[in-house]
Amino acid sequence: MKVTINRLDPTKVQLDITASGEDLAPFINKERDVIAHRISIPGFRKGHVPAKLIDAKVGYGYILDRALDGIVKNFYQKALQENKDEVRPIDAPQISIKNLPAKPGEDLSFEAQIVVRPDISLPKIEGEEIKVEVPKVDEEKELDEALTKLRHNYSTLVETSALIKTDNYLDMDLKIFDGDKEIESKREPSYRVGSSEIPGLDKTLRGMRKGEEATFTFTPKSGENKGKELRAEVKVNDVKREELPKLDDEFAKEASEFDTLSELKEAIEKQISARRNAQVANAARDAFMNYLEEVEIPLPEDMIKSLADEQIAKLGKDATKSQKAEITSEIEKAMEEQIALDQLSDDLKTELTEGDITRFLGITAQQFNIPLPDFINMVIKNGQFEETISTARHQKALVEGMKKADFVDENGEKLDLSSFLGDEEEEKKEKQATDEARSMAAASLAAKKTDEAGKQSSSGHVSKSKKSSAKSDK
């Protein structure tokens, strides 16, 4: 097989592949064997018809045509494997046959145009200071909001004769008309004021009382009546206000596993702190990726357009220019990230262990709430195993790369990302413990085998002694 590589642009190459008649022979012979078992030629048993007679019977072109897909796939994959450091596809190839052999022994040639990962040089990361926009968090406010939300879950509804206001709960009847034609009628037994998607409904309800009725007009912004002025009639049957429980130890016992309010607050504060750490880690990750992507990254425009068109088509005719632009931008951003992480993985020579793969698959399966064996089978069945492995490698390289940089906030204060990146000392201890455990296991196994060998040797010696003794007795 002969392969010539022509780079058409930074993201596209053309492979000109030529397979000799000798290269093709195994594939042609295999197809001949299949045909030989299906045709009948006087004087020959099925499966034992000579190649020349098969070619004469069905034609060499017919045999080649049946084998062609397998031949092209085989030599394309072989060409990629031989040039894997130079040609790194990110999309399926476009294959064009240039020359078909007319008879055995002649060459087959075809070309494959491939969208490939461009060659880029990432910026230096060792010891580089990367500034992170740390999300502003008012922990006291978040604690109050969390406690208020919890109180709402344990609230009671009490009837009131006061004017209706936001967050009251109503029992009401609602009718909607298009002119004089009623197009909708429904009862809302527990409607919370302030939650309506009907323009003008909540504004109309505020200030009304139990038993009152009102009429208003509105124009839907979506749906089959979009842009049409409709009339609505609303009648309030009952009004209730929400009464929140007192915030004390008794509430803590009822609403949680804790006995005191202070314990409940402490648990919520830990959750807020963990959430903030995750937000900081995500912000650091984004800052790191933005730093990597500061270099020029050529993108395959045709591929991006094709992917964008596919997503835009799902939106239908209502897709706006801004939506189309947003979809295209998101695809470009995702592709830049994948190319940068590919390069980072190569630069750091990131390799996955069996433990890395198992851990990544386990975490991903857990996220989808699928048992690990079922998830692995699903990934393999859908042909996504290589993609999954690539993602796992990217994630490992990302962590390895971030460990080499220094992250600071807007004030230049160093950020502690150990909960996200892992603590190096802890990792060393874990690796040491794992190595020691393996050594102990190996030593134990070796000792067991030595002991077994000793027993077998001892057993063999006793047996010989008995035989010798038996002979002497005779």
Side-chain angles (χ1 to χ4, degrees):
M1 180 184 74
K2 180 183 177 182
V3 180
T4 304
I5 302 174
N6 298 305
R7 185 166 287 276
L8 305 178
D9 64 43
T11 63
K12 185 179 287 187
V13 300
Q14 178 175 303
L15 299 183
D16 292 308
I17 302 171
T18 300
S20 68
E22 186 178 349
D23 294 328
L24 299 177
F27 301 91
I28 298 297
N29 289 336
K30 184 178 179 181
E31 196 57 46
R32 281 197 187 105
D33 287 342
V34 174
I35 295 171
H37 284 83
R38 294 179 179 174
I39 63 174
S40 297
I41 293 181
F44 296 94
R45 289 179 294 150
K46 282 190 175 183
H48 295 274
V49 181
K52 288 184 178 180
L53 290 182
I54 295 175
D55 292 357
K57 177 75 173 179
V58 300
Y60 180 75
Y62 173 77
I63 300 170
L64 177 64
D65 187 60
R66 287 175 58 90
L68 191 59
D69 281 349
I71 291 172
V72 170
K73 288 177 183 177
N74 178 273
F75 288 107
Y76 170 70
Q77 290 298 332
K78 189 176 179 182
L80 288 184
Q81 186 61 31
E82 290 180 357
N83 299 278
K84 59 183 179 182
D85 293 332
E86 188 175 352
V87 181
R88 295 160 296 191
I90 58 176
D91 198 10
Q94 291 184 336
I95 304 289
S96 299
I97 304 296
K98 292 303 178 183
N99 180 66
L100 281 174
K103 59 184 179 180
E106 293 184 350
D107 296 348
L108 165 72
S109 62
F110 64 95
E111 67 178 31
Q113 288 196 5
I114 318 164
V115 178
V116 295
R117 195 183 96 197
D119 295 324
I120 61 172
S121 296
L122 296 178
K124 176 178 174 288
I125 57 177
E126 186 78 46
E128 289 297 307
E129 188 174 274
I130 299 176
K131 187 173 288 187
V132 180
E133 292 185 15
V134 178
K136 305 298 181 185
V137 177
D138 187 336
E139 295 190 3
E140 186 175 340
K141 181 182 177 182
E142 286 201 17
L143 175 61
D144 289 340
E145 289 175 349
L147 288 170
T148 299
K149 184 178 179 180
L150 193 58
R151 291 172 72 197
H152 278 298
N153 292 341
Y154 288 84
S155 65
T156 54
L157 297 179
V158 181
E159 288 192 9
T160 178
S161 58
L163 297 177
I164 294 173
K165 60 182 181 180
T166 299
D167 290 333
N168 280 166
Y169 284 81
L170 312 181
D171 178 341
M172 68 177 191
D173 296 319
L174 179 66
K175 294 181 179 180
I176 299 175
F177 297 85
D178 180 3
D180 294 329
K181 181 183 178 183
E182 182 181 299
I183 59 175
E184 187 175 354
S185 178
K186 61 181 178 179
R187 181 175 181 180
E188 296 278 5
S190 186
Y191 171 73
R192 183 174 66 81
V193 179
S195 63
S196 178
E197 295 181 358
I198 298 177
L201 175 58
D202 290 323
K203 183 179 180 180
T204 301
L205 289 170
R206 294 187 191 99
M208 292 178 64
R209 295 182 187 274
K210 176 181 177 179
E212 291 184 346
E213 300 180 18
T215 301
F216 66 96
T217 58
F218 70 98
T219 304
K221 296 180 180 179
S222 60
E224 58 181 300
N225 293 304
K226 177 183 178 181
K228 183 185 293 185
E229 185 176 81
L230 303 178
R231 176 170 53 87
E233 295 179 358
V234 60
K235 178 183 178 183
V236 179
N237 302 315
D238 196 15
V239 183
K240 292 181 180 179
R241 62 178 176 81
E242 188 178 27
E243 193 171 88
L244 300 179
K246 187 178 178 181
L247 201 56
D248 55 17
D249 290 346
E250 289 302 315
F251 170 72
K253 289 178 183 178
E254 181 185 6
S256 72
E257 60 191 277
F258 303 104
D259 294 328
T260 65
L261 181 60
S262 62
E263 290 175 334
L264 174 59
K265 286 183 176 180
E266 184 180 349
I268 295 174
E269 285 170 347
K270 286 181 179 179
Q271 292 176 355
I272 294 171
S273 178
R275 189 161 59 244
R276 182 182 183 279
N277 288 339
Q279 290 173 341
V280 172
N282 286 333
R285 179 200 181 283
D286 291 343
F288 181 73
M289 291 307 305
N290 288 336
Y291 174 72
L292 294 184
E293 292 164 20
E294 284 178 0
V295 301
E296 184 180 352
I297 301 179
L299 297 176
E301 294 181 3
D302 291 344
M303 183 178 176
I304 289 172
K305 184 179 184 304
S306 176
L307 292 171
D309 288 345
E310 188 177 326
Q311 291 192 28
I312 291 169
K314 295 177 182 178
L315 298 178
K317 297 179 181 179
D318 293 334
T320 63
K321 285 185 178 180
S322 62
Q323 286 176 319
K324 294 176 181 179
E326 184 179 357
I327 287 172
T328 301
S329 176
E330 287 176 354
I331 291 173
E332 289 175 343
K333 181 68 177 174
M335 194 166 290
E336 284 180 343
E337 182 171 299
Q338 292 302 305
I339 292 170
L341 287 174
D342 268 338
Q343 191 63 54
L344 180 65
S345 302
D346 288 349
D347 290 351
L348 297 178
K349 295 180 173 56
T350 302
E351 294 182 358
L352 294 176
T353 64
E354 288 185 11
D356 294 328
I357 297 171
T358 302
R359 193 179 306 111
F360 180 80
L361 289 172
I363 292 172
T364 310
Q366 192 174 29
Q367 290 173 344
F368 285 99
N369 197 28
I370 300 174
L372 181 56
D374 293 344
F375 178 74
I376 293 174
N377 288 335
M378 181 183 74
V379 167
I380 294 172
K381 183 179 179 181
N382 294 336
Q384 297 173 321
F385 190 73
E386 286 188 12
E387 181 183 343
T388 303
I389 296 302
S390 176
T391 303
R393 185 171 182 249
H394 286 173
Q395 293 302 314
K396 185 173 182 178
L398 176 66
V399 172
E400 290 175 346
M402 289 179 69
K403 284 181 178 179
K404 294 179 179 296
D406 295 322
F407 294 88
V408 298
D409 62 16
E410 295 91 331
N411 301 317
E413 295 292 325
K414 191 170 182 178
L415 296 174
D416 179 12
L417 300 175
S418 58
S419 60
F420 172 67
L421 300 178
D423 184 88
E424 289 189 7
E425 287 303 316
E426 289 298 321
E427 287 180 0
K428 286 180 182 177
K429 289 179 182 178
E430 184 179 342
K431 185 178 184 303
Q432 184 178 357
T434 302
D435 291 343
E436 288 176 357
R438 286 176 177 168
S439 297
M440 290 175 65
S444 175
L445 181 61
K448 184 178 179 182
K449 287 184 176 180
T450 302
D451 184 51
E452 289 175 351
K455 287 180 179 178
Q456 288 175 358
S457 175
S458 174
S459 174
H461 179 70
V462 169
S463 178
K464 283 183 178 181
S465 298
K466 286 183 177 178
K467 288 181 180 179
S468 176
S469 174
K471 287 181 179 180
S472 63
D473 288 342
K474 288 182 177 179

